[in-house]
Amino acid sequence: MLAIIVTGHGEFTRGILQSAEMIFGKAQKVMAVTLGPNESVEDLVNHYRVAIQSMQPVSELLFLVDLWGGAPFNAAQQVVAQAPEKYGLIAGLNLPMLIEALTIQDQPLELVVPHLVRAAQGGVRHLDLSAQDDDGD
């Protein structure tokens, strides 16, 4: 089973994981790891290592990060660089991506990553009420 670390700035990651579990149910081998206001990239790398250790055995791991280039991304990138054949990283975390990740957690990392990128993009949609006819069609 693919282990997942949901991570980002502040309490966002705990909240989004809680929301996903309300919809999907309790997740296995999934942890929210947050970056506190006074923490560094090095602190976060250590938090990730503790999380990975607590989910053992872990054969493959995916980081779902809130923002490309932020401290949580930079810390995750350091961990992924140590084992790129079994660790992956996707930035731009949103609820559709996380729910889909929980749904396909039994799949190999090489299939999960491109699927989640598509799922996340598909979750961004615009309701354009001005495009509808006056009679509701």
Side-chain angles (χ1 to χ4, degrees):
M1 174 180 280
L2 179 65
I4 300 171
I5 293 179
V6 181
T7 186
H9 297 80
E11 294 301 313
F12 167 73
T13 53
R14 285 193 182 108
I16 199 168
L17 180 56
Q18 180 185 30
S19 295
E21 287 182 335
M22 287 176 67
I23 297 165
F24 181 81
K26 182 67 179 152
Q28 301 293 318
K29 290 203 178 200
V30 178
M31 293 192 70
V33 178
T34 63
L35 174 67
N38 298 318
E39 292 186 306
S40 67
V41 169
E42 293 76 28
D43 292 329
L44 204 47
V45 168
N46 290 330
H47 294 328
Y48 293 157
R49 289 189 175 129
V50 169
I52 293 166
Q53 187 61 37
S54 73
M55 291 190 287
Q56 290 298 327
V58 171
S59 58
E60 292 186 312
L61 172 77
L62 179 60
F63 287 91
L64 299 178
V65 180
D66 62 350
L67 183 65
W68 182 277
F73 175 89
N74 293 334
Q77 184 179 15
Q78 289 181 28
V79 176
V80 170
Q82 296 172 359
E85 70 285 352
K86 66 178 192 170
Y87 292 168
L89 170 58
I90 301 175
L93 173 63
N94 63 28
L95 191 55
M97 175 198 292
L98 180 53
I99 292 169
E100 192 66 21
L102 299 177
T103 304
I104 62 170
Q105 207 174 349
D106 61 337
Q107 300 292 315
L109 183 64
E110 66 184 20
L111 298 178
V112 169
V113 169
H115 181 82
L116 292 182
V117 170
R118 287 189 305 274
Q121 291 169 340
V124 176
R125 300 179 67 178
H126 171 237
L127 173 63
D128 186 0
L129 296 177
S130 65
Q132 293 183 359
D133 294 341
D134 288 333
D135 60 355
D137 290 339

